[in-house]
Amino acid sequence: MTSQPPHGADLHLHTIFSDGAYTPEDLVAAAHRNRLATIGLTDHDTLDGFERTSRAAEELSLEAIPGVEFSCPSQGDREEAHIVGLFLDPGHDELQDTLKQFRENRRRRAIRMVEELNRMGVALHADDVLKLAGVGNISRLHVAHAIVNAGHVPSIEAAFRRYIRKGAPAYVPRDRPSADWTIALIHRAGGVAVLAHPGLTKRDEDIPRLVSYGLDALEVYCPDHDSNMEQHYLDIAAQHRLLVSAGSDCHGHNKKRSHLGSIRLDRNHVEALRERASGQ
Ligand code: AMP
Ligand code: MN
Ligand code: MN
Ligand code: MN
């Protein structure tokens, strides 16, 4: 097998600092094995994994870009929009204060979900969930794991279906900032705002509104898009003068659909994103 030099970027990746299975060191090692030149760390609502990621990346001569995946409410009862901020300044005070607030909100919400579950007769301790989240931001995935571990349901899917999916009895919604506020925060923190996996959320009609808020790019290449959808979002990007991003949305073995190495963004697109960020 010929060994190619590292090339291309994967700009949508998760670790144990949110709902991924990889530690930052595992993620960097996997990216290195897959011959990626650049990775974007985009854990949900946190930059806490960046220091470790950056250190591990440096040792293997990979570039690591600091990012965060934000969830913003959509109008009506539709899917939330996921907006990835890339090239964020990890030392930006307002950004870090906001992320700290998100972390605390997530913790309180998990405790409320456990209380709802207890009321339904599902015996569980909030500490079990907090322990499972470890260094990471608490998500419903951790609540689901705790429900399974306590023997109440056979699978994560069943835990969501029966208890904590949107509309299920122990579901507690999360306070989320609006898309215009989120995009402005990303810009204030020196970053670019990318609409993640638009083909998954299927809200094309929202794109002009997001563009008016300052959206910079679309995640054109991701595992949720076939080649027709890639072309569709390339056309929309050209129409609105948006830049192009790409990411596998890898969560390690926590999710089946994402594969590190399956998505590789050309360097010219990475440089266009970097240049846009440097103008913020
Ligand atoms: P949260 O951000 O706390 O609302 O939780 C979102 C997490 O739960 C993400 O990791 C999702 O992928 C995961 N999730 C949401 N719905 C399901 C489901 N039906 N089955 C498995 N995981 C899910
Ligand atoms: Mn996730
Ligand atoms: Mn997402
Ligand atoms: Mn993601």
Side-chain angles (χ1 to χ4, degrees):
M1 197 176 88
T2 54
S3 172
Q4 277 198 331
H7 63 290
D10 185 335
L11 301 182
H12 187 155
L13 297 162
H14 296 273
T15 70
I16 55 166
F17 282 83
S18 64
D19 56 351
Y22 286 137
T23 62
E25 293 76 17
D26 291 342
L27 176 70
V28 169
H32 184 67
R33 276 198 306 278
N34 281 281
R35 298 259 161 247
L36 284 161
T38 301
I39 55 171
L41 177 72
T42 59
D43 273 314
H44 297 279
D45 294 344
T46 183
L47 265 169
D48 288 355
F50 187 67
E51 208 180 301
R52 276 172 60 180
T53 303
S54 157
R55 208 176 314 130
E58 207 171 309
E59 275 176 27
L60 293 174
S61 301
L62 248 97
E63 183 193 18
I65 294 169
V68 170
E69 183 172 13
F70 296 87
S71 312
C72 303
S74 292
Q75 273 140 2
D77 195 26
R78 306 278 297 274
E79 282 291 319
E80 53 189 20
H82 289 189
I83 295 178
V84 161
L86 292 171
F87 297 102
L88 297 167
D89 170 9
H92 191 267
D93 286 342
E94 186 197 3
L95 174 66
Q96 283 297 357
D97 287 349
T98 303
L99 298 177
K100 214 159 109 191
Q101 190 73 46
F102 286 173
R103 187 177 175 86
E104 179 54 21
N105 288 348
R106 281 179 168 279
R107 197 185 66 84
R108 279 205 297 265
R109 170 193 186 226
I111 293 170
R112 280 187 55 202
M113 282 195 276
V114 169
E115 285 166 0
E116 287 301 327
L117 287 161
N118 290 165
R119 221 165 283 151
M120 296 175 69
V122 179
L124 204 64
H125 291 288
D127 274 354
D128 299 337
V129 179
L130 302 183
K131 236 179 269 161
L132 276 174
V135 293
N137 262 350
I138 304 171
S139 77
R140 280 181 294 154
L141 197 59
H142 302 113
V143 179
H145 271 293
I147 298 171
V148 174
N149 290 352
H152 299 288
V153 285
S155 68
I156 298 287
E157 263 313 313
F160 272 92
R161 205 172 45 246
R162 206 180 295 174
Y163 299 116
I164 56 170
R165 70 170 162 73
K166 197 172 170 187
Y171 173 75
V172 175
R174 201 155 57 80
D175 286 342
R176 290 156 308 171
S178 62
D180 56 340
W181 189 89
T182 301
I183 291 172
L185 174 69
I186 290 170
H187 288 163
R188 286 197 294 278
V192 290
V194 183
L195 181 62
H197 44 64
L200 181 67
T201 22
K202 297 193 174 62
R203 298 296 311 262
D204 289 3
E205 68 277 18
D206 277 355
I207 292 175
R209 189 171 54 86
L210 296 173
V211 170
S212 77
Y213 299 155
L215 185 75
D216 298 287
L218 291 184
E219 199 174 81
V220 169
Y221 305 101
C222 64
D224 303 298
H225 295 174
D226 61 18
S227 55
N228 286 336
M229 278 163 107
E230 288 172 358
Q231 190 56 53
H232 173 70
Y233 287 110
L234 277 177
D235 292 345
I236 294 185
Q239 190 188 333
H240 293 286
R241 295 171 190 268
L242 291 167
L243 302 176
V244 172
S245 188
S248 67
D249 202 4
C250 178
H251 288 70
H253 57 74
N254 279 358
K255 295 226 177 120
K256 289 190 193 82
R257 68 183 167 82
S258 53
H259 302 285
L260 204 69
S262 64
I263 301 287
R264 208 176 284 267
L265 186 65
D266 283 352
R267 202 175 74 186
N268 56 329
H269 289 303
V270 182
E271 294 315 316
L273 291 163
R274 192 194 315 276
E275 199 176 312
R276 174 73 62 92
S278 70
Q280 291 300 340

